[in-house]
Amino acid sequence: MNGFDHIGVVGAGAWGTALAQAAAKTGRRVTLWARESEVAEAINTARENTAFLPGARLDAAIQATPHLVELAECDVALVVTPAQHTRAVLGDLAPHLREGAPVVLCSKGIEQATLKLMTEVLAEVCPRTRAAVLSGPSFAIDVAKGLPTAVTLACADERAGRALMHALGSASFRPYYADDLIGAEIGGAVKNVLAIAAGVVEGRGLGRSAHAALIARGFAELTRLGVAMGAKRETLAGLCGLGDLVLTCSSPQSRNMSCGIALGRGEALADILAARNSVTEGVATAPAVVALAERHGVEMPICESVSRVVSGDAHVDAAIEELLARPFRDEHA
């Protein structure tokens, strides 16, 4: 099985559980780490993650555990913890990773305190591992139920990347190989911020024309930042960039878009987040994206508006008015 017979998944939220399910469907043995012991127990006894992914029957090949040491025998680790907690989790995981083992980063965000991508965090905390990034248009429940899904699997080591692609891929879960880790990360991180903006458009009732414009102009922002940081345009125009942006900006099933919808309807951010048991990555990522844009001399007005709203520096209506008052310009300037 391409040398990846035992797959570890770090993080038993909705996405981590779905990825464990996808790996199990390929015949692999899967060990799924859950921070909460009750989540691990529910998966092992009821074959369902009732806390984070209810309604999806889980494969018997998935063994959940609250102990990271049980991932020591895994051939590869998929890290699916929230971006702002990934450094700490990697630090706890590091003693249990084999030297040279691939670590597939599946969180979509930028570390707010350092403005580092998850691959940069991995290089600092676990320098003897091989980094890969999995990103693309994928709702957890779709993957868990075996509905057709395609994602990008980026890895600088082509041999390892293609082996991972075959280890995780199936008829319904289709990874496409790329060597552009920066593009895969930027696409996944920035689309979460833009999805909040798309939600505001929906929540404020601004219409489908405004929604389409938001996606197109948002993609221009995403591309500008990605290219400035060394990403390839073709990566950003693929599954992990444009594809993920379209999905996340088009369905209230997206945590980020649903957050924006609630903001657009006048709800307070603190109340929105308090009612959730999962992380809305775009909230923490927005200020980090804006800071990176400033560092690289890139203009990202939509992301800047989202950052100001979630930071409490601007009301939704004021942010919309400022965007609509911007001077006219060439579309591709």
Side-chain angles (χ1 to χ4, degrees):
M1 289 191 179
N2 302 307
F4 299 134
D5 300 338
H6 187 182
I7 295 177
V9 179
V10 184
W15 186 221
T17 304
L19 288 174
Q21 178 79 338
K25 289 296 185 182
T26 69
R28 268 69 186 178
R29 176 186 170 197
V30 180
T31 300
L32 172 61
W33 175 76
R35 180 178 296 277
E36 305 90 346
S37 57
E38 61 272 20
V39 171
E41 183 178 359
I43 292 171
N44 292 335
T45 57
R47 292 287 104 200
E48 184 181 2
N49 187 337
T50 52
F52 297 106
L53 195 62
R57 179 74 177 174
L58 301 179
D59 196 285
I62 300 171
Q63 183 65 33
T65 176
H67 308 294
L68 276 174
V69 67
E70 294 191 31
L71 276 70
E73 297 181 358
C74 293
D75 301 312
V76 57
L78 278 60
V79 178
V80 204
T81 50
Q84 306 310 319
H85 301 291
T86 294
R87 181 181 293 272
V89 172
L90 285 174
D92 293 336
L93 179 65
H96 311 302
L97 291 172
R98 299 177 183 178
E99 184 171 351
V103 174
V104 184
L105 298 161
C106 307
S107 302
K108 300 174 180 179
I110 298 166
E111 190 172 53
Q112 194 176 55
T114 65
L115 305 186
K116 293 185 183 295
L117 303 178
M118 296 299 100
T119 48
E120 296 175 297
V121 174
L122 177 67
E124 290 181 358
V125 181
C126 307
R128 297 183 178 181
T129 59
R130 289 179 289 174
V133 174
L134 190 148
S135 186
S138 47
F139 283 146
I141 192 63
D142 293 349
V143 173
K145 290 185 174 182
L147 298 177
T149 305
V151 295
T152 298
L153 199 157
C155 186
D157 182 334
E158 182 174 355
R159 183 176 179 181
R162 293 193 181 278
L164 286 166
M165 181 174 65
H166 289 287
L168 299 173
S170 64
S172 61
F173 187 71
R174 302 183 57 80
Y176 284 76
Y177 172 74
D179 61 3
D180 180 9
L181 283 80
I182 294 175
E185 286 211 77
I186 288 296
V190 177
K191 65 90 184 179
N192 282 334
V193 181
L194 295 169
I196 294 176
V200 170
V201 169
E202 182 76 15
R204 263 296 187 262
L206 300 183
R208 307 317 296 169
S209 299
H211 179 258
L214 185 283
I215 292 177
R217 297 310 301 160
F219 180 61
E221 294 190 14
L222 184 157
T223 302
R224 284 198 293 267
L225 179 61
V227 170
M229 293 181 64
K232 298 177 181 179
R233 288 184 181 272
E234 57 265 35
T235 307
L236 300 171
L239 291 164
C240 59
L242 180 59
D244 208 1
L245 178 67
V246 170
L247 176 69
T248 313
C249 290
S250 301
S251 174
Q253 189 175 334
S254 157
R255 291 190 297 270
N256 293 283
M257 185 176 182
S258 65
C259 176
I261 291 173
L263 286 170
R265 291 173 176 169
E267 297 181 33
L269 180 63
D271 295 336
I272 298 168
L273 300 182
R276 301 179 170 206
N277 68 349
S278 56
V279 174
T280 304
E281 291 276 22
V283 172
T285 301
V289 165
V290 171
L292 277 178
E294 292 175 353
R295 175 183 292 180
H296 290 278
V298 172
E299 191 176 21
M300 301 183 74
I302 299 172
C303 289
E304 183 176 347
S305 294
V306 173
S307 179
R308 293 181 63 217
V309 168
V310 299
S311 300
D313 295 330
H315 187 271
V316 165
D317 287 336
I320 293 171
E321 289 174 5
E322 289 171 6
L323 284 173
L324 295 178
R326 287 175 55 80
F328 300 124
R329 54 177 291 173
D330 292 348
E331 182 171 11
H332 302 296

